[in-house]
Amino acid sequence: FTIVQPDFDDADLVTHTVLQHGTARGLADWCDKNKDKAQQLIATIQEDTDLMRTFLESGGARNGKYGEAVDLYKKLVPQASSPVLERLALACALELADPYPFFNKSGVTDAVARYIHYEQAYQLGELDPAFGSFNVWEHRQVVNSWATDGESSWGRESLLAYRPDFALWEDRRNRYCQIVHTDVAYKEPDWYKQPPSYDQILSGGGECGPRAWYGRFICKAFGIPTWGVKQPGH
């Protein structure tokens, strides 16, 4: 038989999971560097179980960076004016708590700037219609693009100008990324200038890696979640 416990209190489990994922050293290091916010973080982890549960249900803070994630969450969510943008804000706070280096080696992602970029693109109707239906985890696979925000804007503008049929294609499996099949030559890549950039993949071609990078780049630029998969030798 089954004992039904509708009022099960998981507060201690949620707090334990956050502390385990963030690690004592990781949280202590953040508090040491942010002494003015340390008490606030501790109180949030211990007392705001609903928020911590929401974090965990959405995959947790990347690499256990809960101090950074809480700080970003409190900056970004007040800017969100709709449920879609609230999910986007949470995705940026969790996924970019530990920033990604840019493909062109010019720096790392800034969570606030990344949120503003996609917020504006969404409000201007530049993203795929499905963007508004994605959950937080799916939004995380959009905002973690290796591209700069300027490169993402260029990707959308260039595809709409050069091959608008690919951006409006009925086949949702190949929408946007069809450009890889037609315009990224399967060959030894020609990186003709440094640092590397996505436009060089279009003109210089590439084999498995560069073609996958460009496919993920152009899909994320239009707000479609992607993630990479590797196999030996590819």
Side-chain angles (χ1 to χ4, degrees):
F1 63 95
T2 301
I3 300 176
V4 179
Q5 294 179 305
D7 298 322
F8 174 71
D9 183 359
D10 66 349
D12 289 343
L13 178 61
V14 168
T15 302
H16 170 79
T17 304
V18 170
L19 292 174
Q20 185 179 50
H21 188 205
T23 73
R25 180 180 293 277
L27 293 168
D29 286 347
W30 188 88
C31 289
D32 187 54
K33 295 174 184 176
N34 300 271
K35 292 183 173 61
D36 57 324
K37 301 177 183 178
Q39 290 299 321
Q40 182 184 40
L41 174 64
I42 294 170
T44 299
I45 292 176
Q46 291 181 331
E47 300 170 12
D48 197 342
T49 305
D50 289 340
L51 179 60
M52 292 299 99
R53 185 186 297 107
T54 298
F55 276 23
L56 294 176
E57 289 173 346
S58 301
R62 182 168 121 84
N63 291 332
K65 302 289 186 178
Y66 284 90
E68 293 84 348
V70 170
D71 201 24
L72 287 169
Y73 179 84
K74 294 182 182 298
K75 290 179 182 177
L76 293 173
V77 170
Q79 301 182 45
S81 57
S82 70
V84 175
L85 296 178
E86 288 176 3
R87 295 196 296 273
L88 175 64
L90 178 55
C92 288
L94 293 174
E95 187 67 14
L96 302 180
D98 191 12
Y100 286 82
F102 289 134
F103 184 70
N104 66 8
K105 305 184 186 304
S106 65
V108 297
T109 48
D110 177 273
V112 176
R114 182 57 52 92
Y115 169 80
I116 293 172
H117 172 81
Y118 278 103
E119 175 193 49
Q120 293 177 343
Y122 172 69
Q123 292 176 332
L124 291 171
E126 296 178 358
L127 304 181
D128 189 273
F131 183 81
S133 67
F134 293 143
N135 60 32
V136 176
W137 187 85
E138 289 166 324
H139 279 304
R140 291 179 67 158
Q141 313 314 312
V142 173
V143 302
N144 64 1
S145 174
W146 297 347
T148 65
D149 297 329
E151 286 178 317
S152 293
S153 294
W154 168 82
R156 292 193 296 272
E157 293 169 6
S158 64
L159 190 67
L160 287 168
Y162 177 58
R163 291 302 303 260
D165 52 325
F166 290 165
L168 303 172
W169 211 355
E170 291 293 329
D171 180 4
R172 287 181 291 180
R173 293 172 300 176
N174 292 300
R175 187 183 295 166
Y176 312 120
C177 63
Q178 180 64 15
I179 191 73
V180 173
H181 300 290
T182 60
D183 286 76
V184 181
Y186 192 88
K187 57 184 282 293
E188 186 73 20
D190 178 17
W191 301 104
Y192 55 86
K193 63 178 180 179
Q194 290 296 325
S197 56
Y198 286 106
D199 60 301
Q200 291 185 72
I201 299 176
L202 276 181
S203 58
E207 296 178 351
C208 302
R211 287 163 66 87
W213 300 335
Y214 199 87
R216 294 202 296 271
F217 155 70
I218 198 63
C219 286
K220 290 177 188 288
F222 281 94
I224 295 296
T226 74
W227 51 94
V229 177
K230 294 182 179 181
Q231 65 184 44
H234 292 268

